[in-house]
């Protein structure tokens, strides 16, 4: 049976859709809310904010996180800021402009209605965060400060030094802590969700492994909310945290949740390049650096001179040369692709020739060292701590790295996946960013989903189940799922192969990066589709997981995650191969203009590609959700 | 880990695994009158320790300044001793005011020692297993690390000091009321002089950390004068140490006596 | 580089632990300390021995998951640096490095170098929040916050909750963590309504788990975010005021 996708976009004019929908949604009587149990998996911005607001409403909420504390979720690492259409700066911002910028930034591959709702809610997020005590930057008059971010033409980004993600997460975490204290949220830490339990076509609960005791337990609920983040670690090297993984959403996908647009991954242009083969992760440097730094490489191939000895005439400021209007401020994907181009040509810099220079010499001469230090001091210190090079004297070396994944589980306007009762929030869903995400929009989406969307939409779903208790965990659906998880764990422990989990993760990462990375082509994608299953087979027959299953065992944890990455990587390749166009983060070399720009094909590919699981040995089936644009005009980007 | 809300007196309920082994103390169920309730907390004890410390600092300062009258000769110091007993003049019976002060001092000592004792116990129980590979400290100094030991030295010395110069049990040539004579007799014996010097160096070291630390405990803090707190503590400790150590030195060198 | 590691191995919370020595040849000075441990683990797995368990996540010094006692110093020798951002170039070739878990009664060892820091969450749950129901917040610019207050609050809020302050404190006190959490909210106008109940609850919950502050200052030296001791003084000040104010409010409740 083929899935039919109904996005359930409310009727009416764009500006009234959310308002009308909120009225149309059925409500749950306050006294009845406590009879509904909701499981939230993940405690980042989306998960913590959803859990806190659902508990405030009176639902019985259980939060599961594999971290030791909810505050450690990777939302904490977001540096730059959060967008909101407050127009505090009087510079022409509006809800419609934020909506327009987001749809355009997403290269016209997102739903208008979702994005408009996001823009509408953006201001409420700032109000909520401020009331919680998030110490946003202020002007001397005590009112909120803003900055322009990621090439936006208005200043709509709110920030807390370089730690906006941390502060917003602490705000959500503290609200969650408040609810834990009230007894309305039960927190399960160090618990990893390893299976979704579906019975009679509905989500009824999850199976978890206690990472400390190894115990596998079943948890039942009326609805399950997944807020488990993105899958960037499929590349092995990314700016994601070491433990970020796709297991929760992948397990849900295998149980019937369609996976949308897996090939839309975002590469961030300003990360510190890998220093050696043992590099475990990449560190992002805020995009704001491109406001003052100039990007260049030597004109000559294999130029081994130190940067200071390369005269001005022998440097290639390639972004300024190719894009005179935007120069170093071209969008993320353009900057990233061009860096890859020059490095592939053999003009990379640094000991491994795997970076490009980001040079502040001119800015320091122009504005003085103090000004640059005031703007970027923290970032310069961080760079120096990692590389032991002083960016005031030597140009920084940067290179793109995977940063965010726009794809994720398919959800309708209510954020419900194709399995009834399974809601997906934040980076884990595909909903708002289309093919490319604007800077400072990830925090906005996570919090909008958690604070302001799910509290309404989940009620509409739950109201039909009044009087029905959650399925008992003794039910055979739970038993079967539990046994499957136990079996999987046992298999990893008894494989007794010769290579570590990390070895296979690295091999997979290389394959994915080389073939489904910044620029893709048919040959590479077909190669990936051919080679990934072979490597996966080897992984399953030759992985070595030592230790036991009844205590903390990080190799065992990683084994399950890497196994899921293998399957996901294959789907990414298939999605990238089928999408015969270039859009946003997905760049197909076959589809570019004469100037090397992305060429979209709106005629044939203006749809969401949702993939339906068809069993372990059958490729997923593509189901399309057509995208229509009534309020924005589809244009080709140009940064010349 | 499912757990009870944080403000109950129940031990945090544990889920096997994730929360196992987190040790905590039980909170008292009874609501106590606020001075006692305050003193039951560690922050409260530190306030009490700081306030009693201030009283004791005042005492050691006045004690030292008063004793400096020894440089002016036997009459001055002896009449100083006598006038302490006659504090309050004819308004109160003789020695009553002095006793009142002594009681205050004894109380200050008692709470200073008790708070130190119970905080030490609390701190030891907070790390039952020490670092097996050793520690490399950065900020601690000799004074802050040895507060417990310098405190005990000063306390033991105090007992001897009272027996020697107040009650006279430890001083064979003790003459009640002749402060000058007792001091010279006592300090001209080498072991006593050395004991006195060691104890006062310990006292100075104790003050060096205590006189800074009390500002933090009391929350007297402002980046504008935080540096001055260290200077104050150093100067105070030096003044007390030097002033007191000079007495036996002067006796031994014959300047006094 | 060639490094000799002395690492604490302990199979579980109740097991007896001991140091094991591992030779780590061919270490690149560009590696981070945790990447060095990754490599040691990789070699252990190759040799069929169980790898060393240690905590880490973001590896960019913000999530607070990692934390090791390295040569007797919390997060190792480099100032203002979490373990994940410490690099091997801080050490010399041939050096012996001792690695131990955080130690405190409130941080029981889970396995090897991993400890359970749930006690820190208990402190936050006691009052480290501003109760603001979603939907009830006024416009963000309705409450002007003096820039100085916002900056000071941010200085406190920079805490990453790694527990290095507890690990470094000779008394295992959590004063720096608690003070940072209390003062982040107490310094802001939004935090005033719950200021006194927050201060009392958080301090008293802290004392259920941790030791007392004797102003050694080790916590500040170990803190990857260099949180100031000033916040501890502020918390001490607020605590006394809280005791008095809360008592007064209790009285008012009885009258009303």
């Amino acid at each position: 049976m083929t899935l039919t996708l109904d996005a359930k976009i409310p009727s009416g004019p764009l500006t009234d859709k959310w308002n009308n929908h909120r009225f149309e949604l059925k409500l749950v009587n306050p006294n009845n809310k406590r009879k509904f149990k909701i499981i939230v998996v993940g405690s980042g911005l989306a998960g913590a904010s959803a859990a806190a607001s659902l508990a405030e409403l009176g639902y019985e909420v259980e939060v599961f996180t594999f971290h030791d504390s909810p505050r450690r979720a990777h939302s904490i690492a977001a540096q730059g800021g959060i967008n909101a259409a407050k127009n505090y700066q009087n510079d022409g911002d509006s809800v419609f402009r934020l909506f327009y910028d987001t749809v355009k930034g997403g290269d016209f591959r997102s739903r208008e209605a979702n994005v408009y709702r996001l823009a509408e809610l953006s201001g409420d997020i700032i109000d909520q965060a401020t009331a919680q005590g998030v110490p946003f930057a202020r002007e001397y008059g005590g009112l909120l400060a803003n900055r322009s971010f990621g090439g936006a033409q208005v200043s709509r980004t709110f920030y807390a030094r370089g730690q906006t993600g941390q502060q917003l997460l602490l705000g959500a975490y503290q609200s969650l802590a408040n609810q834990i204290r009230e007894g309305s949220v039960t927190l399960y830490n160090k618990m990893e969700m390893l299976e979704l339990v579906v019975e009679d076509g509905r989500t009824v609960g999850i199976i978890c492994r206690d990472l400390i005791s190894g115990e596998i337990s079943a948890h039942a609920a009326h609805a399950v909310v997944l807020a488990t983040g993105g899958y960037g670690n499929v590349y092995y090297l990314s700016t994601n945290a070491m433990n970020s993984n796709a297991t929760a959403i992948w397990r849900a996908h295998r149980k019937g949740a369609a996976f949308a647009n897996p090939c839309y991954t975002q590469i961030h242009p300003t990360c510190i390049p890998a220093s050696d083969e043992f590099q475990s992760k990449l560190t992002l440097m805020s995009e704001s650096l491109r406001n003052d730094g100039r990007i260049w490489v030597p004109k000559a191939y294999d130029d081994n001179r130190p940067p200071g000895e390369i005269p001005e005439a022998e440097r290639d400021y390639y972004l300024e040369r190719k894009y005179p209007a935007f120069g170093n401020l071209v969008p993320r994907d353009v900057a990233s692709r061009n860096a890859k181009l020059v490095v592939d040509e053999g003009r990379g810099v640094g000991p491994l020739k795997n970076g490009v220079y980001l040079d502040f010499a001119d800015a320091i001469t122009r504005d003085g060292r103090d000004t640059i230090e005031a703007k970027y001091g923290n970032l310069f210190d961080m760079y120096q701590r990692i590389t032991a090079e002083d960016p005031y004297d030597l140009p920084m070396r940067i290179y793109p790295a995977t940063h965010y994944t726009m794809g994720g589980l398919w959800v309708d306007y209510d954020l419900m996946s194709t399995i009834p009762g399974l809601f997906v929030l934040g980076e884990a869903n595909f909903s708002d960013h289309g093919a490319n995400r604007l800077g400072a929009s990830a925090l906005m989406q996570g919090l909008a989903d958690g604070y302001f969307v799910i509290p309404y939409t989940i009620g509409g779903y739950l109201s039909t189940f009044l009087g029905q208790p959650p399925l008992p965990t003794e039910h055979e659906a739970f038993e079967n799922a539990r046994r499957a998880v136990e079996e999987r764990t046992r298999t990893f422990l008894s494989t007794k192969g010769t290579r570590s989990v990390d070895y296979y993760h690295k091999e997979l990462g290389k394959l994915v990066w080389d073939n489904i990375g910044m620029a893709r082509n048919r040959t590479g994608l077909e190669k990936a589709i051919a080679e990934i299953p072979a490597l996966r087979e080897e992984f399953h027959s030759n992985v070595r997981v030592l230790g036991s299953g009844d205590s903390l065992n990080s190799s065992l944890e990683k084994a399950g995650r890497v196994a899921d990455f293998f399957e996901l990587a294959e789907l990414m390749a298939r999605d990238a191969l089928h999408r015969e166009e270039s859009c946003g983060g997905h760049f197909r070399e076959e589809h570019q203009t004469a100037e090397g720009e992305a060429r979209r094909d709106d005629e044939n590919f203006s749809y969401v590609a949702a993939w339906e699981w068809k069993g372990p040995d059958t490729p997923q089936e593509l189901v399309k959700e057509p995208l229509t644009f009534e309020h924005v005009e589809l244009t080709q980007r140009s940064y010349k | 880990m499912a757990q009870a809300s944080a403000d109950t007196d129940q031990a945090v309920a544990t889920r096997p695994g994730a929360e196992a082994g987190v040790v905590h103390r039980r909170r008292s169920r009874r609501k106590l009158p606020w001075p006692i309730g305050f003193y039951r907390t560690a922050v409260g004890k530190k306030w009490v320790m700081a306030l009693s410390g201030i009283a004791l600092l005042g005492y050691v300062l006045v004690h030292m300044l008063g004793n400096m009258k020894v440089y002016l000769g036997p009459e001055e110091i002896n009449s100083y001793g006598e006038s302490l007993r006659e504090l309050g003049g004819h308004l109160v019976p003789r020695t009553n005011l002095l006793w009142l002060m002594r009681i205050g001092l004894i109380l200050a000592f008692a709470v200073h020692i008790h708070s130190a004792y119970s905080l030490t116990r609390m701190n030891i129980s907070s790390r039952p297993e020490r670092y097996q590979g050793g520690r490399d400290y950065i900020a601690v100094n000799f004074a802050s690390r040895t507060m417990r030991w310098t405190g005990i030295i000063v306390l033991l010395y105090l007992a001897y000091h009272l027996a020697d110069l107040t009650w006279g049990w430890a001083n064979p040539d003790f003459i009640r009321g002749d402060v000058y004579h007792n001091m010279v007799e006592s300090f001209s014996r080498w072991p006593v002089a050395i004991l006195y010097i060691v104890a006062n160096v310990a006292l100075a070291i104790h003050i060096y950390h205590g006189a800074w630390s009390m500002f933090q405990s009391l929350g007297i803090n402002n980046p504008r004068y935080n540096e001055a707190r260290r200077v104050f503590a150093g100067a105070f400790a030096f003044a007390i140490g030097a002033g007191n150590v000079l007495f036996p030195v002067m006796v031994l060198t014959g300047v006094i006596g | 580089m060639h490094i000799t590691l002395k690492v604490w191995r302990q199979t579980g919370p109740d097991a007896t632990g001991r140091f094991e020595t591992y030779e780590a040849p061919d270490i690149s000075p560009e590696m981070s300390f945790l990447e060095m441990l990754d490599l040691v683990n990789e070699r252990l797995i190759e040799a069929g021995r169980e790898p060393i368990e240690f905590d880490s996540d973001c590896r960019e010094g913000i999530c607070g998951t990692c934390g090791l006692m390295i040569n007797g110093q919390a997060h190792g020798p480099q100032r203002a640096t979490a373990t994940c951002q410490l690099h091997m170039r801080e050490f010399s070739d041939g050096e012996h490095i001792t690695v131990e878990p955080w130690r405190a009664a409130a941080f029981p060892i889970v396995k090897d170098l991993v400890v359970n820091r749930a006690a820190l969450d208990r402190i936050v749950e006691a009052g480290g929040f501003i109760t603001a129901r979603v939907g009830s917040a006024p416009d963000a610019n309705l409450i002007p916050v003096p820039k100085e207050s916002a900056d000071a609050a941010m200085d406190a809020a920079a805490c990453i909750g790694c527990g290095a302050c507890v690990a470094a404190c000779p008394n295992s006190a959590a004063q720096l963590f608690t003070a940072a959490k209390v003062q982040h909210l107490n310094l802001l106008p939004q935090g005033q309504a719950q200021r006194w109940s927050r201060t009392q609850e958080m301090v008293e919950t802290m004392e259920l788990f941790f030791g007392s502050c004797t102003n050694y200052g080790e916590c500040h030296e170990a803190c990857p975010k260099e949180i100031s001791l000033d916040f501890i003084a502020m918390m001490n000040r607020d605590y006394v005021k809280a005791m008095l104010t809360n008592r007064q409010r209790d009285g008012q409740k009885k009258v009303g």
Side-chain angles (χ1 to χ4, degrees), chain B residues 48-105:
Chain B
V48 170
M49 186 184 276
L51 291 173
S52 58
I54 290 172
L56 295 171
L57 283 180
Y59 165 71
V60 292
L61 182 67
V62 170
H63 185 59
M64 184 196 75
L65 292 175
N67 284 352
M68 279 187 167
K69 291 204 187 281
V70 76
Y71 294 115
L72 303 174
E75 293 77 26
E76 280 285 340
I77 180 95
N78 288 353
S79 72
Y80 162 71
E82 185 55 25
S83 52
L84 282 179
R85 296 186 183 87
E86 285 168 7
L87 270 180
H90 297 293
L91 292 174
V92 289
R94 193 181 129 87
T95 73
N96 276 23
L97 209 55
L98 183 63
W99 268 110
L100 210 65
M101 286 169 63
R102 281 173 173 164
I103 289 168
L105 212 52

Side-chain angles (χ1 to χ4, degrees), chain B:
Chain B
M1 19 85 283
Q3 91 287 316
S5 68
D7 61 339
T8 64
D9 61 321
Q10 292 296 310
V12 174
T14 59
R15 182 171 65 76
E19 185 106 332
V22 181
V23 177
H24 75 81
R25 309 173 179 95
R26 274 170 188 280
R27 194 185 286 189
S28 161
R29 187 185 287 273
R30 280 189 302 148
K31 221 172 162 76
L32 295 155
W34 84 265
I36 301 170
F38 182 56
Y39 185 70
R40 284 180 73 96
T41 69
V43 172
K45 284 195 181 77
K46 288 298 287 185
W47 269 78
V48 170
M49 186 184 276
L51 291 173
S52 58
I54 290 172
L56 295 171
L57 283 180
Y59 165 71
V60 292
L61 182 67
V62 170
H63 185 59
M64 184 196 75
L65 292 175
N67 284 352
M68 279 187 167
K69 291 204 187 281
V70 76
Y71 294 115
L72 303 174
E75 293 77 26
E76 280 285 340
I77 180 95
N78 288 353
S79 72
Y80 162 71
E82 185 55 25
S83 52
L84 282 179
R85 296 186 183 87
E86 285 168 7
L87 270 180
H90 297 293
L91 292 174
V92 289
R94 193 181 129 87
T95 73
N96 276 23
L97 209 55
L98 183 63
W99 268 110
L100 210 65
M101 286 169 63
R102 281 173 173 164
I103 289 168
L105 212 52
I106 290 166
L107 274 176
F109 260 116
V111 294
H112 200 76
I113 293 164
H114 180 262
S115 55
Y117 167 76
S118 67
L119 290 175
T120 301
R121 279 188 46 156
M122 177 181 183
N123 294 340
I124 290 171
S125 75
S126 298
R127 181 170 290 138
E129 188 167 8
R130 302 160 64 92
Y131 284 102
Q132 305 295 306
R135 281 297 312 274
D136 182 3
Y137 290 116
I138 308 161
V140 299
N141 51 40
F142 182 73
S144 62
R145 273 308 267 166
T146 56
M147 287 304 274
R148 282 153 204 165
W149 303 114
T150 52
I152 289 169
I153 292 171
V154 170
L155 178 67
L156 292 175
Y157 163 72
L158 178 72
Y160 174 79
H161 191 55
L162 288 170
D164 180 22
L165 291 172
T166 306
W167 303 315
W169 307 336
N171 191 343
D173 300 310
F174 186 75
I175 303 170
R176 197 167 191 84
D178 193 345
V179 178
Y180 190 86
H181 166 84
N182 294 341
M183 235 168 124
V184 171
E185 280 303 316
S186 205
F187 289 163
S188 43
R189 282 174 288 150
W190 274 98
V192 178
I194 288 170
L195 179 72
Y196 186 91
I197 291 170
V198 168
N200 275 289
V201 169
L203 175 64
I205 293 171
H206 196 81
I207 289 174
Y208 177 74
H209 180 68
W212 171 79
S213 176
M214 66 184 189
F215 290 107
Q216 277 293 108
S217 299
L218 296 176
I220 301 171
N221 173 295
N222 190 317
R224 271 186 315 173
Y225 56 69
N226 279 353
E227 273 307 300
R229 304 185 306 182
R230 285 277 186 198
V231 175
F232 165 80
F236 201 100
F238 180 76
I240 297 289
N244 281 343
V245 165
L246 271 179
F247 295 128
V249 170
M250 289 302 173
V251 170
L252 287 173
T253 53
V255 177
I256 301 171

Side-chain angles (χ1 to χ4, degrees), chain A residues 180-181 187-189 191 210, chain B residues 1-3 5 7 15-16 18:
Chain A
I180 292 172
R181 183 200 156 113
L187 175 71
Y188 290 86
N189 65 354
M191 288 277 259
D210 184 321
Chain B
M1 19 85 283
Q3 91 287 316
S5 68
D7 61 339
R15 182 171 65 76

Side-chain angles (χ1 to χ4, degrees), chain C:
Chain C
M1 286 168 80
H2 184 112
I3 299 288
T4 305
L5 281 175
K6 213 171 100 183
V7 182
W8 188 261
R9 300 301 303 264
Q10 183 171 334
T11 50
D14 304 317
T16 324
R18 65 190 186 294
F19 279 115
E20 294 238 355
T21 305
Y22 303 98
E23 294 300 326
D26 306 321
I27 297 298
S28 148
E30 297 302 316
M31 276 181 187
S32 74
F33 194 83
L34 297 180
E35 283 163 1
M36 181 274 292
L37 286 181
D38 286 342
L39 182 62
V40 170
N41 274 345
E42 196 69 12
R43 292 171 180 168
L44 282 175
I45 295 172
E46 220 164 280
R49 293 161 71 187
E50 265 197 64
I52 305 160
E53 291 290 348
F54 61 92
D55 253 343
S56 92
D57 200 26
C58 78
R59 298 210 178 176
E60 46 188 275
I62 192 78
C63 74
T65 308
C66 65
L68 301 171
M69 207 62 167
I70 300 166
N71 283 341
Q73 292 185 0
H75 288 310
Q78 199 178 359
R79 260 193 85 89
T81 305
T83 304
C84 60
Q85 294 210 299
L86 178 68
H87 281 69
M88 292 313 291
R89 54 179 166 265
E90 298 296 317
F91 300 89
S92 45
D93 193 16
E95 197 169 332
H96 288 244
I97 304 175
T98 307
V99 190
E100 227 181 315
W102 289 166
R103 288 193 191 277
F107 288 174
I109 295 176
V110 172
K111 193 174 180 182
D112 296 342
L113 302 172
V114 180
V115 298
N116 182 352
R117 288 165 290 195
L120 296 180
D121 285 322
R122 297 294 91 76
I123 297 175
V124 175
E125 285 156 17
F129 45 76
I130 293 170
T131 304
R133 283 184 75 94
V134 176
S136 59
D139 185 90
N141 261 349
L142 212 59
I143 322 155
V145 180
K147 190 176 180 344
E148 296 75 13
S149 306
D151 285 349
M154 183 62 217
D155 287 341
C159 168
I160 59 173
C162 62
C165 45
V166 175
C169 177
N171 303 336
S172 305
Q175 230 83 4
L176 195 63
F177 170 82
T178 313
K181 295 276 128 197
V182 170
Q183 292 307 317
H184 157 212
L185 301 174
N186 281 7
L187 282 162
L188 292 168
Q190 304 94 299
Q192 296 311 303
Q194 288 164 300
R195 179 173 184 171
W196 309 116
S197 57
R198 168 186 310 121
T199 310
Q200 189 173 350
E201 287 291 349
M202 288 181 76
V203 167
E204 291 175 8
T205 305
M206 164 185 85
E207 291 181 0
L208 296 180
F209 297 95
F210 297 97
S212 81
C213 176
T214 44
N215 304 315
Y216 285 121
E218 283 294 326
C219 50
H220 170 71
E221 298 299 324
C223 178
K225 296 292 155 191
E226 296 184 293
I227 307 269
S228 168
L229 294 178
D230 297 347
F231 292 117
I232 297 181
M234 289 183 200
M235 180 178 75
N236 290 340
R237 194 160 63 201
D238 274 4
Y239 182 68
V240 174
K241 286 189 201 166
M243 289 295 272
L244 296 170
T245 315
N246 292 341
R247 181 170 162 268
Q248 200 182 7
R249 288 188 180 167
D250 269 358
Q252 286 164 348
K253 237 186 314 193
K254 273 169 204 150
V255 173

Side-chain angles (χ1 to χ4, degrees), chain A residues 5-11 21 111 410 412-414 416-417:
Chain A
L5 298 175
D6 179 6
K8 299 202 189 100
I9 308 286
S11 56
H21 188 58
R111 277 188 208 135
W410 184 91
D412 62 16
Y413 190 73
D414 288 340
M416 190 158 84
S417 70

